[in-house]
Amino acid sequence: MNKLKDRLSNIYGSEDIGVICSKIEKKLAEAKARISVVRKPCWDENDVVLITYGDQFYQENTPTLTSLNTFYKTYLSDKFEVVHILPFYPYSSDDGFSVIDYEKVNPVCGDWSDLAKLSDETRIMFDFVCNHISAQSEWFKGYLANDPLYKDFFVDVDPGADLSQVTRPRTSPLLTPFTKKNGEQVHVWTTFSADQIDVNVANPQVLIRLIDVLLFYLEKGAAYIRLDAVGFMWKEIGTNCIHHEKTHEIVKLFRDIADIVAPGTAIITETNVPHKDNVAYLGYHGDEAHMVYQFPLPPLVLHALHSGNGQALTDWSKKLALPETAATFFNFLASHDGIGMNPLRGLVPEQEINQFVQALEAEGALVSYKNNPDGTKSPYEINVTYFDALNKRADEDDIRIKRFLLAHAILLGFPGVPAIYIQSILGSRNDYEGARETGRNRSINRKKYQLDAIKEELAQPDSLRSRIFVALTKMIKCRKAEALFHPNTSFGVIDFGEKVFAFKRINQSDYLLAIHNLTNEIVSCPLTGSYTDLVTGEVVELDGDIQLQPYQFYWLKK
């Protein structure tokens, strides 16, 4: 427990550390005694994650978690070992990320018993929205009512303060005015929106309450815990208020708690930032996050397939250092959010990024912007389904599907744990009507479905959804059957030129080659030897080169 005390000292100095540490130690001991579920000790090639909402599928008079469970058991139980259910708590906005009560289930989804039934079928990844809470939460209502229990739970700032250095991920105001019960007006820190109030972790009582939430999730069986927007947690005026050293200490503290109370639980940081800042959350001694989101991968793969040039992807991958065995990458292409452009910065010239964004927008993607310190705006993310992002409106379905499967071959072969968004496994198209109804760009990729309607589409073998679902789930099963796809198996890039992205996965004398033609033309790669094609099971004999058809990929085991 000395480690906890050291962490707390690094965060708060010496003030009352002994008292705070004793409280936390007592909470940890009580929680550990209540936890009976034994977690899987570490990840392996079987760990493929499905990302979905708790209310993704609906039926009349049925909790949506029950509908999700039905879909999972019918279609996905042999493909996905972990299900990431995006915030399933009561919320007031942002499709769940303005949490009203951390410890309740949204009544539309059901209750904790419904989640427990799904947990009996698969491991669950919880969202811990630790940076902010809803303006309608009891915490914030208590703060505005001057309840002493919630004193200093939020960050009240003089609007005249110089906040010019603060990193802004949105164009909304950083400070939002509120009037307290006694008539006092306060300007409260709101990084993401006026309904998402940043909590004040500089107050140790707030951190203790957040630890209560973390322990509650561990007791409810969370196998993975995603720390949402964690990079913004510590505020210090005069700094950029992102990636603060004390934020890193808090993540390490959360890691320590999970390791003590529920060993095998993976703490995952969500920091949509340039790569060097992102991987810093793994810690320098393997003592921070167990996994970090691999944010450069979605835009780099998309950029490579758009341009038919994978040089940026290849150059970045060559420099990619695999984490120690105590950590790995959380890889994805699509999620409930858009495709972030910030991770491309420094890897692709800014002019090229702007041209890339314009090309996507011309094909129907929506663009969200952020404010820069100099008063300008930059594209922050592209809002689009990944299927439509990869393709043009005039493309035929055959070519669309080839590009889409090629992108996912890269995802599934890459070192780390792969995660696939529900809209991708269903081959979903842009939901313009949803974006118009909500007025939010991100709704273009957050459509919810009537369960019977989806089942009907999947039952039609010639439908776009069915074709994608069958092909992609086959790839997932191939990946799970091959030990060389273990997240921590060695990785090395092979440079076959800008039209091809290729790499090796190596384990002692065993290795496989993953080769991807990024273009709509036939490409040859110099290669000799005898291989097994993992997708088809056929033996491939090569004597000099291999011919890749447009957007073709191979997983070749030596």
Side-chain angles (χ1 to χ4, degrees):
M1 291 297 183
N2 286 336
K3 188 186 288 187
L4 295 181
K5 192 169 184 178
D6 291 342
R7 298 276 187 240
L8 292 166
S9 295
N10 291 338
I11 297 168
Y12 297 116
S14 59
E15 183 183 354
D16 297 328
I17 289 303
V19 174
I20 297 167
C21 194
S22 294
K23 282 184 180 179
I24 294 173
E25 287 176 359
K26 184 173 184 290
K27 290 174 182 290
L28 266 57
E30 292 171 347
K32 187 171 184 177
R34 289 191 293 265
I35 293 175
S36 59
V37 177
V38 177
R39 269 72 170 176
K40 184 176 177 177
C42 197
W43 44 81
D44 58 32
E45 62 276 7
N46 285 293
D47 288 300
V48 181
V49 181
L50 173 72
I51 305 170
T52 186
Y53 281 97
D55 61 348
Q56 188 64 59
F57 303 105
Y58 56 88
Q59 300 165 282
E60 191 172 354
N61 301 320
T62 304
T64 57
L65 282 172
T66 299
S67 300
L68 176 60
N69 198 359
T70 298
F71 186 83
Y72 177 81
K73 287 191 292 185
T74 305
Y75 296 99
L76 303 175
S77 60
D78 59 341
K79 289 91 176 176
F80 293 95
E81 299 288 322
V82 181
V83 177
H84 174 199
I85 307 178
L86 293 155
F88 50 83
Y89 325 111
Y91 68 94
S92 52
S93 63
D94 198 20
D95 290 321
F97 285 91
S98 293
V99 179
I100 293 175
D101 191 324
Y102 288 119
E103 297 183 4
K104 290 183 179 177
V105 174
N106 183 347
V108 171
C109 295
D111 56 29
W112 286 109
S113 68
D114 296 298
L115 188 79
K117 290 172 186 173
L118 183 56
S119 295
D120 289 340
E121 305 295 332
T122 184
R123 291 178 289 150
I124 306 294
M125 176 171 165
F126 284 42
D127 266 285
F128 184 10
V129 188
C130 52
N131 178 72
H132 49 266
I133 196 168
S134 168
Q136 296 183 30
S137 65
E138 290 303 313
W139 290 20
F140 193 62
K141 287 180 180 178
Y143 169 81
L144 292 180
N146 296 300
D147 183 337
L149 185 64
Y150 298 103
K151 178 178 169 61
D152 297 326
F153 260 50
F154 302 94
V155 185
D156 172 17
V157 180
D158 180 344
D162 182 4
L163 302 172
S164 60
Q165 292 186 53
V166 177
T167 297
R168 297 296 298 122
R170 300 286 186 273
T171 55
S172 58
L174 177 62
L175 303 180
T176 301
F178 291 92
T179 302
K180 287 190 163 187
K181 187 177 180 180
N182 62 4
E184 176 190 4
Q185 188 175 65
V186 290
H187 291 79
V188 181
W189 201 292
T190 51
T191 298
F192 294 99
S193 81
D195 188 44
Q196 294 169 301
I197 317 298
D198 289 50
V199 298
N200 180 23
V201 287
N203 176 357
Q205 298 309 311
V206 173
L207 183 61
I208 289 173
R209 292 293 292 272
L210 292 175
I211 289 171
D212 286 338
V213 175
L214 176 59
L215 292 174
F216 180 78
Y217 293 165
L218 294 174
E219 288 183 44
K220 289 298 183 182
Y224 289 9
I225 292 181
R226 174 185 184 269
L227 302 181
D228 177 67
V230 68
F232 295 92
M233 282 191 78
W234 194 274
K235 283 75 176 170
E236 182 180 338
I237 296 175
T239 73
N240 60 11
C241 298
I242 188 170
H243 315 315
H244 196 284
E245 60 184 12
K246 294 189 177 184
T247 293
H248 282 282
E249 285 296 325
I250 291 171
V251 175
K252 291 176 183 179
L253 178 64
F254 288 166
R255 158 79 177 257
D256 293 339
I257 289 169
D259 286 348
I260 292 167
V261 173
T265 307
I267 298 294
I268 306 172
T269 50
E270 186 263 341
T271 51
N272 189 354
V273 293
H275 185 67
K276 66 179 179 63
D277 297 319
N278 187 33
V279 295
Y281 283 88
L282 293 172
Y284 295 105
H285 306 288
D287 60 349
E288 204 163 334
H290 295 90
M291 301 183 199
V292 296
Y293 271 71
Q294 187 72 282
F295 276 105
L297 194 62
L300 279 170
V301 170
L302 181 60
H303 177 268
L305 281 163
H306 251 261
S307 62
N309 184 335
Q311 199 61 55
L313 176 61
T314 293
D315 291 346
W316 169 75
S317 300
K318 282 180 178 178
K319 299 174 184 175
L320 192 66
L322 295 189
E324 300 174 9
T325 53
T328 193
F329 299 117
F330 189 83
N331 297 324
F332 71 109
L333 294 179
S335 76
H336 62 291
D337 288 340
I339 302 165
M341 291 295 103
N342 281 349
L344 271 188
R345 294 188 162 93
L347 304 176
V348 175
E350 191 67 24
Q351 182 180 356
E352 194 171 333
I353 292 174
N354 289 330
Q355 292 171 347
F356 178 43
V357 170
Q358 290 166 13
L360 289 166
E361 192 171 25
E363 290 295 336
L366 305 179
V367 183
S368 295
Y369 292 86
K370 69 179 183 73
N371 287 335
N372 298 320
D374 63 1
T376 61
K377 293 182 180 180
S378 299
Y380 170 73
E381 68 177 21
I382 307 302
N383 302 111
V384 61
T385 67
Y386 210 80
F387 183 84
D388 278 336
L390 285 166
N391 297 298
K392 296 182 179 180
R393 289 165 167 163
D395 288 335
E396 298 291 332
D397 279 352
D398 284 352
I399 202 72
R400 296 174 196 269
I401 292 171
K402 284 182 180 179
R403 283 199 197 101
F404 189 70
L405 295 178
L406 179 72
H408 284 81
I410 295 172
L411 169 68
L412 290 167
F414 216 71
V417 172
I420 297 178
Y421 187 35
I422 189 71
Q423 307 292 353
S424 294
I425 203 77
L426 294 175
S428 296
R429 309 296 302 277
N430 288 336
D431 182 17
Y432 293 109
E433 183 179 349
R436 283 193 295 269
E437 285 178 359
T438 65
R440 297 191 304 270
N441 285 357
R442 285 179 170 177
S443 296
I444 198 171
N445 193 26
R446 294 181 176 181
K447 188 174 176 63
K448 310 296 170 63
Y449 301 102
Q450 207 281 332
L451 181 59
D452 288 339
I454 281 292
K455 291 168 72 174
E456 186 177 331
E457 282 193 75
L458 291 177
Q460 300 169 14
D462 293 331
S463 71
L464 183 64
R465 286 199 196 281
S466 180
R467 291 175 67 188
I468 289 173
F469 182 86
V470 169
L472 187 48
T473 54
K474 179 182 178 182
M475 288 166 57
I476 292 170
K477 293 177 79 171
C478 286
R479 192 243 191 223
K480 291 176 63 178
E482 178 50 61
L484 282 165
F485 284 128
H486 188 289
N488 295 101
T489 299
S490 294
F491 167 81
V493 176
I494 307 167
D495 197 338
F496 284 135
E498 64 185 28
K499 295 180 180 181
V500 174
F501 178 56
F503 55 81
K504 283 185 181 182
R505 303 297 305 276
I506 311 164
N507 185 10
Q508 297 176 345
S509 60
D510 228 6
Y511 75 88
L512 67 80
L513 301 175
I515 308 174
H516 314 83
N517 180 359
L518 303 170
T519 72
N520 195 18
E521 58 187 76
I522 297 173
V523 176
S524 295
C525 296
L527 201 61
T528 59
S530 179
Y531 301 86
T532 299
D533 182 339
L534 294 181
V535 176
T536 66
E538 297 175 354
V539 173
V540 179
E541 300 285 353
L542 298 172
D543 185 20
D545 63 20
I546 185 170
Q547 293 282 104
L548 296 172
Q549 297 302 307
Y551 301 115
Q552 186 178 14
F553 75 92
Y554 277 106
W555 288 341
L556 299 176
K557 186 173 181 180
K558 182 70 174 177

